[in-house]
C-alpha cells in the first residue's frame, strides 16, 4: 500500500515505463537482452535526470531563517511516494542503471563477476563519503579530547549508542491512515557520534557529541551530510518530545513569537511559558528540543573557537533549564534513561 502526494508518482511511472521499454527492445530484437540492457542504462540515467529536474522545480523552497540555515534554499517533501520525496529516488535510478550495466556485461563474464562488480560500486557509493569525512572527525577528536582533559571532563572518541538516543529532524506529522503510517520516512539521526565529552556545569550534567547528519530530504543523503555538534543537558526525569524555536529575529514583531512542535499540546502549554520565552531571549537561544531527559540544541557551524561555542551553548541550556516550570513531573514519560557517558 503506497500513498501518493502530488507528482510523487512520477518516479514509479518512469521506472514502470523503463521496464516496458526493456521488454519491447528485447522482443523487437528477437530476445537480444544484452542490447536491451545497454539501451536501458542510457534511458534510466535520462529518466533519473528528468525526475531530479522535476524535483528541483517542485520540491525546493526558500526558508526564512529556519534550520538548516538562515534564508537557505532547502529540499521539501511536498511531492512524494509514501514517505519518500520525489528527489530521493535519484539513487534508485542509479542503482537500476547499475543493474542493467551488470546485465549487459553478462555476455562476456560470469554472473558472479558482474554481481561482484555491482556490489563493489555500491560499497564505494556509500563508503567514499565516510573516507572523505575522516580528517574532520580526527581533528574534532584531537581538539575535543585535549579540551576535555584540561577541564577534567570525561571523554570518548566514539560512542555509537548516541546514534539511537537523538533524532534531529523536525517532528513528523501524525499518520492519519494506514497507507501514511506504512510510508512514514525514517528520522535523521546523528551518524557515527564521535568526540563525546561529558561533565557538569553549575550542578547540571551535560553531554557534547559531534557527528554527521544528512541534509533533510536531499537526493543523495550518503553524500550530502553536514558536520554538527549536539549540546545536551540532562534532566532528572524523562519528558515527551517537544521542539521550540524562535522565528527569524529580523522579522518585525517576532520577539515573543515561538514555534512549537509536539504531540502533547498540554505539555507544551505547561512548558512554554512567558518565563521560558524570556529565558530563551536572554540566553539568545533560538532553538532547542527535549527528547527523554535531554534538553539539547544543535550547532551546525564549526568556527575556529568551536569548544568555546560548545561551552557557551551548555551555559545557554543550563540557564534555560533553570527557568523551566518546576511542576513538570505530571508529564514524566516513563523511566529516565541513563546518562550517555558518566562524567
Amino acid at each position: 500500500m503506497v500513498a501518493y502526494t502530488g507528482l510523487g508518482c512520477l518516479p514509479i511511472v518512469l521506472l514502470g515505463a523503463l521496464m516496458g521499454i526493456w521488454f519491447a527492445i528485447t522482443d523487437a530484437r528477437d530476445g537480444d537482452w544484452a542490447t536491451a540492457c545497454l539501451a536501458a542504462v542510457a534511458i534510466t540515467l535520462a529518466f533519473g535526470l528528468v525526475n531530479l529536474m522535476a524535483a528541483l522545480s517542485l520540491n525546493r523552497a526558500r526558508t526564512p531563517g529556519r534550520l538548516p540555515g538562515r534564508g537557505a534554499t532547502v529540499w521539501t517533501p511536498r511531492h512524494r511516494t509514501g514517505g519518500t520525496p520525489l528527489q530521493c529516488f535519484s539513487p534508485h535510478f542509479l542503482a537500476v542503471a547499475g543493474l542493467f550495466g551488470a546485465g549487459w556485461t553478462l555476455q562476456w563474464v560470469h554472473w558472479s563477476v558482474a554481481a561482484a562488480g555491482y556490489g563493489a560500486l555500491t560499497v564505494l557509493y556509500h563508503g567514499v563519503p565516510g573516507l572523505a569525512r575522516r580528517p574532520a572527525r580526527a581533528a574534532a577528536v584531537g581538539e575535543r579530547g585535549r579540551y576535555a582533559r584540561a577541564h577534567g571532563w570525561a571523554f570518548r572518541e566514539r560512542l555509537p549508542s548516541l546514534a539511537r538516543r537523538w533524532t534531529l529532524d523536525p517532528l513528523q506529522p501524525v499518520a492519519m491512515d494506514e497507507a501514511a503510517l506504512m510510508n512514514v520516512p525514517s528520522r535523521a539521526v546523528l551518524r557515527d557520534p564521535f568526540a563525546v565529552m561529558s561533565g557538569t556545569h553549575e550542578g547540571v550534567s551535560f553531554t557534547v557529541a559531534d557527528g554527521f547528519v544528512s541534509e533533510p530530504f536531499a537526493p543523495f543523503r550518503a553524500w550530502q551530510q553536514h558536520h554538527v555538534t549536539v549540546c545536551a543537558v540532562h534532566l532528572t526525569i524523562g519528558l515527551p518530545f517537544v521542539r521550540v524555536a524562535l522565528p527569524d529575529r529580523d522579522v518585525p514583531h517576532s520577539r515573543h513569537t515561538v514555534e512549537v512542535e509536539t504531540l502533547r499540546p498540554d505539555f507544551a502549554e505547561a512548558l512554554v511559558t512567558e518565563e521560558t520565552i524570556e529565558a530563551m531571549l536572554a540566553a539568545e537561544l533560538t532553538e532547542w528540543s527535549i527528547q527523554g531527559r535531554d534538553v539539547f540544541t544543535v550547532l551546525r557551524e564549526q568556527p575556529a573557537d568551536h569548544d568555546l561555542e560548545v561551552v557557551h551553548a551548555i551555559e545557554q541550556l543550563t540557564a534555560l533549564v533553570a527557568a523551566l516550570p518546576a511542576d513538570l513531573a505530571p508529564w514524566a514519560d516513563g523511566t529516565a534513561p541513563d546518562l550517555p557517558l558518566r562524567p
Side-chain angles (χ1 to χ4, degrees), residues 67 166 168 207 209 228-233 244 285-290 294-300 309-310 312-314 316-317 320:
L67 294 178
W166 299 316
L168 306 181
T207 298
V228 302
T229 302
V230 179
C231 303
V233 298
V244 183
L285 186 63
T286 58
E287 183 164 357
W288 55 278
S289 300
I290 294 179
D294 303 332
V295 184
F296 68 89
T297 190
V298 181
L299 306 181
R300 298 178 182 268
E309 290 290 327
V310 164
H312 179 56
I314 295 299
Q316 291 175 307
L317 291 170
L320 172 70

Side-chain angles (χ1 to χ4, degrees), residues 159-169 187-193 196-198 205-209 213 230-242 289-296 298 333 335-343:
L159 194 61
S161 61
L162 281 181
R164 299 185 297 273
R165 190 176 182 99
W166 299 316
T167 56
L168 306 181
D169 272 349
R187 301 286 297 277
V189 298
L190 193 68
R191 293 173 180 265
D192 191 24
V196 183
M197 179 174 70
S198 184
S205 299
F206 71 85
T207 298
V208 173
V213 177
V230 179
C231 303
V233 298
H234 306 294
L235 306 172
T236 57
I237 59 175
L239 294 171
F241 171 89
V242 67
S289 300
I290 294 179
Q291 290 182 22
R293 66 182 296 186
D294 303 332
V295 184
F296 68 89
V298 181
D333 189 17
T335 304
D338 293 333
L339 297 181
L341 180 63
R342 293 290 180 180

Side-chain angles (χ1 to χ4, degrees), residues 4 6 56 216 244-245 258 311:
Y4 297 96
L56 281 169
V244 183
V258 295
V311 172

Side-chain angles (χ1 to χ4, degrees), residues 36 44 70 84 95 103 121 130 139 164 193 211-212 217 243 259-260 310 338:
T44 305
R70 182 179 296 274
T84 304
L121 289 175
R164 299 185 297 273
F212 294 93
F217 310 117
R243 172 185 170 273
E259 297 174 349
V260 181
V310 164
D338 293 333

Side-chain angles (χ1 to χ4, degrees), residues 148-282:
R149 287 188 290 272
H151 291 79
W153 292 331
F155 178 77
R156 190 81 61 81
E157 289 189 8
R158 296 182 68 251
L159 194 61
S161 61
L162 281 181
R164 299 185 297 273
R165 190 176 182 99
W166 299 316
T167 56
L168 306 181
D169 272 349
L171 183 65
Q172 301 288 356
V174 180
M176 300 303 294
D177 53 48
E178 186 179 358
L181 181 63
M182 292 177 63
N183 291 282
V184 169
S186 59
R187 301 286 297 277
V189 298
L190 193 68
R191 293 173 180 265
D192 191 24
F194 58 92
V196 183
M197 179 174 70
S198 184
T200 57
H201 177 72
E202 296 184 3
V204 178
S205 299
F206 71 85
T207 298
V208 173
D210 281 24
F212 294 93
V213 177
S214 298
E215 181 179 336
F217 310 117
F220 303 101
R221 290 169 65 89
W223 290 75
Q224 295 171 278
Q225 297 188 15
H226 305 287
H227 184 183
V228 302
T229 302
V230 179
C231 303
V233 298
H234 306 294
L235 306 172
T236 57
I237 59 175
L239 294 171
F241 171 89
V242 67
R243 172 185 170 273
V244 183
L246 291 171
D248 195 328
R249 297 290 298 276
D250 296 332
V251 177
H253 312 301
S254 67
R255 177 174 173 79
H256 290 286
T257 302
V258 295
E259 297 174 349
V260 181
E261 294 178 329
T262 184
L263 294 177
R264 294 288 303 274
D266 55 337
F267 170 62
E269 184 177 359
L271 178 73
V272 186
T273 62
E274 187 67 25
E275 291 75 14
T276 301
I277 298 172
E278 290 296 336
M280 290 180 65
L281 293 168

Side-chain angles (χ1 to χ4, degrees), residues 112-123:
S112 60
V113 177
Y118 178 80
L121 289 175
T122 302
V123 170

